[in-house]
Each structure stands twice: as C-alpha cells, then as structure tokens.
C-alpha cells in the first residue's frame, strides 16, 4: 500500500524525508515554506540535492508538495491574484527542482464574485503549469462560504479545459464536510461514478486520508485522527478495499501532536490494508 504523512519541514527538507522513512512512509507530502506567509527564502542547492538523494535511497514515491494556504488562485482581486500567481510560479520551479511528482492546489475562493468568475481565474492561474512537472492536482474542499470545490461539479470546466493533464486530490474529511456521506458504501461508489462520468475517469490520483472533526455537510474544515472522528474506521475500510481508490497514495493530514500520533494513524490504515488485501 502507498501510505504516507504530511511532514513538517521545520528542521529542513532532509530531516523531513528522514522522518517519513522513520514512520514507514513510502510516499509523503510537504509544504515548501511557511504556508501562511508570502515570504520566501531561497533554498540552498546542497539541500535540494540531498533531499533528492534521500528520496531515491528510501524509495519514496510519489513526493507530493502542498500549496501554501495564503494563495488564492481564483481571487477577483487583481492584486491578490497577481501575488498568488507569482508565488505559485516560484513554488512550481522549486517543486520541479526537488523532483516532486504532484503539486496539490486548493481551488481558492471567489470572494462573492461568483463561482464562474472564480473558476475562470483559477483556470488562468494554473494554465502555465499544466503539462509540466510536477503534475497539478486540485483538492476538493469542505465548501465553506465562497470557497470553490465543495461540489465535484465545480471542477467540470477545469477538466473540460485540461482533461487528463491535471488530476484530483480527494480529501476524505472535506468530502464528508461538503455533504457527501462516504460512510455509506453505495453513496461512496455513486460519488466515484459521478466523478468518472462528469470529470475524468480515474481522475483521482492522491487521497488525503483524514477523519472528520465536524459533521456531515457542516462545511467546517476540521481534521481528526483516523477512527476518532465522524467518519470512523469503517469508512477507511470502504476506501481501502475499493479496487481503484485502494491502490492510490493515502496521505494523512491528521492533527500534529507528535510522531507517535502519526504512527498510530498510519498503523490503523496499514492494518486495514492487511485485512483486505492480504499482503
Ligand atoms: Zn487535504
């Protein structure tokens, strides 16, 4: 099973790969810098080289980079949009240098300008980076306020434009918070079929495996430890035993307490995998 965690890089990129390896991850996700700041420091080329070397030695694949929260790629505000696009460009160059496979973006907020305006801005924002490395994955959201991506239909235009040159990052907690009851296997399969038909067959390429700290349809983005939230362990059994979803990288973004908490969450997923795939 492809299984990993979002790892903090406060001790540097090389230490992050080591932590991933220590946790038994064969894939992982990082931010490149402080996700709530516009400021960027230039990265030392030696660190980049060492990062790539470690990733290769530990056979970690895919390497996933997550966009900083501060960007709004669908903003109607020209200034914010410009700043966001400039930072995205900076990030994409760095992600490519690091040999990352996927770059996960949040679709952003239209801030009341309307979903069509937001999506059009989003399309223009990611256009320069499509068909390049790393591949852009759009993450679904809890659909709070004017946030785009709470309904899978929000992505139709995006996939009409870019087809299979982009992919989807499916966040289990956001999906549930947005109103899709994936605790029910029939409803989960119905949702997958809808994604296959309306967006792109097999368009989901990464799973953010998080239990939900808030109820169905609450539109509140709260992550919880696996098995301790509103989704419960049973939901992750449904996902892992699915013939397609179960083959994808599962990356936890559960609350960061300590390394033991990450380990415990990963162990639960691994034990489900053992049961259903009989490794
Ligand atoms: Zn996520």
């Amino acid at each position: 099973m492809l299984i990993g965690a979002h790892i903090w890089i406060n001790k540097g990129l090389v230490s992050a790969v080591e932590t991933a390896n220590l946790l038994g991850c064969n894939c992982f996700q990082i931010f490149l810098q402080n996700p709530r700041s516009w400021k960027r420091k230039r990265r030392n080329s030696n660190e980049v080289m060492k990062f790539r070397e470690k990733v290769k030695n530990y056979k970690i694949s895919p390497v996933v980079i997550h966009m900083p929260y501060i960007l709004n790629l669908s903003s109607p505000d020209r200034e914010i949009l410009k700043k966001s696009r400039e930072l995205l460009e900076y990030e994409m160059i760095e992600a490519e240098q690091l040999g990352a496979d996927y770059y996960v973006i949040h679709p952003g907020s239209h801030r009341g300008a309307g979903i069509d305006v937001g999506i059009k801005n989003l399309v223009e924002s990611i256009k320069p980076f499509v068909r390049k490395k790393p591949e852009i994955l759009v993450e679904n959201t809890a659909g709070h306020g004017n946030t785009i991506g709470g309904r899978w239909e929000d992505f139709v235009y995006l996939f009409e434009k870019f087809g299979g040159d982009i992919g989807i990052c499916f966040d289990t907690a956001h999906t549930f918070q947005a109103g899709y009851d994936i605790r029910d296997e029939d409803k989960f399969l119905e949702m997958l079929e809808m994604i296959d038909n309306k967006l792109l067959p097999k368009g989901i390429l990464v799973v953010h495996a998080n239990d939900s700290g808030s109820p169905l349809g609450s539109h509140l983005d709260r992550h919880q430890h696996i098995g301790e939230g509103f989704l419960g362990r049973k939901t992750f059994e449904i996902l892992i035993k699915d013939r397609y979803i179960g083959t994808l990288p599962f990356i936890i973004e559960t609350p960061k307490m300590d390394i033991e908490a990450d380990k415990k969450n990963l162990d639960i997923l691994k034990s489900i995998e053992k049961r259903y795939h009989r490794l």
Side-chain angles (χ1 to χ4, degrees):
M1 180 181 190
L2 288 170
I3 189 161
H6 182 99
I7 311 275
W8 294 125
I9 58 150
N10 49 337
K11 289 190 193 131
L13 288 179
V14 178
S15 160
V17 194
E18 274 161 3
T19 306
N21 183 57
L22 206 70
L23 282 167
C25 301
N26 48 22
C27 59
F28 78 135
Q29 176 178 280
I30 50 171
F31 288 123
L32 292 181
Q33 309 237 6
N34 178 350
R36 301 193 192 275
S37 165
W38 291 103
K39 277 198 217 122
R40 288 300 178 261
K41 283 182 284 184
R42 197 148 284 283
R43 201 171 301 283
N44 167 321
S45 61
N46 194 36
E47 191 184 12
V48 173
M49 208 180 72
K50 281 207 175 122
F51 175 86
R52 294 187 70 133
E53 222 174 78
K54 292 257 175 202
V55 163
K56 200 172 157 206
N57 288 345
Y58 294 144
K59 299 189 173 58
I60 293 179
S61 174
V63 169
V64 183
I65 312 271
H66 197 294
M67 182 188 99
Y69 303 125
I70 199 159
L71 270 68
N72 184 1
L73 299 172
S74 49
S75 176
D77 180 321
R78 288 286 127 195
E79 215 28 59
I80 297 284
L81 198 56
K82 185 168 169 276
K83 263 175 100 173
S84 298
R85 286 172 178 170
E86 280 168 5
L87 188 50
L88 178 65
E89 184 180 8
Y90 190 101
E91 288 257 321
M92 290 299 286
I93 291 170
E94 201 163 66
E96 198 260 340
Q97 285 167 349
L98 289 168
D101 302 281
Y102 298 125
Y103 189 89
V104 173
I105 65 159
H106 281 185
S109 165
H110 61 72
R111 314 274 298 168
I115 192 132
D116 293 344
V117 175
I119 299 265
K120 285 215 166 88
N121 285 338
L122 178 63
V123 164
E124 290 306 312
S125 295
I126 64 174
K127 204 191 244 168
F129 311 104
V130 171
R131 278 181 286 279
K132 288 190 180 146
K133 272 229 121 183
E135 183 172 351
I136 288 193
L137 304 185
V138 194
E139 178 169 356
N140 67 312
T141 66
H144 179 73
N146 295 320
T147 306
I148 299 169
R151 299 173 324 134
W152 293 108
E153 287 87 347
D154 291 357
F155 296 143
V156 169
Y157 181 65
L158 210 61
F159 282 88
E160 271 171 17
K161 282 274 172 199
F162 301 129
D165 292 323
I166 58 169
I168 298 165
C169 174
F170 161 53
D171 187 304
T172 55
H174 298 170
T175 303
F176 180 71
Q177 291 150 0
Y180 299 96
D181 195 356
I182 55 172
R183 293 171 302 186
D184 178 320
E185 190 166 10
D186 288 341
K187 287 186 184 153
F188 165 66
L189 294 174
E190 218 172 86
M191 186 192 81
L192 286 188
E193 212 176 287
M194 197 268 282
I195 294 171
D196 281 357
N197 292 336
K198 286 202 170 156
L199 302 179
L200 184 72
K202 310 261 182 272
I204 299 173
L205 298 178
V206 165
V207 178
H208 278 171
N210 303 309
D211 209 321
S212 176
S214 55
L216 177 69
S218 61
H219 302 296
L220 274 180
D221 183 353
R222 302 274 183 280
H223 294 193
Q224 184 51 280
H225 297 293
I226 308 286
E228 293 178 23
F230 286 87
L231 285 174
R233 185 188 158 111
K234 182 105 199 308
T235 305
F236 294 90
E237 291 182 5
I238 293 172
L239 301 175
I240 289 171
K241 77 176 189 198
D242 183 80
R243 236 179 285 153
Y244 176 64
I245 297 293
T247 63
L248 299 175
F250 273 56
I251 296 179
I252 58 163
E253 297 172 315
T254 41
K256 279 284 173 205
M257 328 277 286
D258 49 38
I259 195 159
E260 285 310 312
D262 276 351
K263 206 171 172 318
K264 199 175 149 203
N265 285 308
L266 294 170
D267 283 347
I268 295 174
L269 295 177
K270 282 181 195 166
S271 72
I272 297 173
E273 156 79 7
K274 270 207 191 100
R275 191 167 148 207
Y276 286 99
H277 290 256
R278 313 219 174 274
L279 284 181

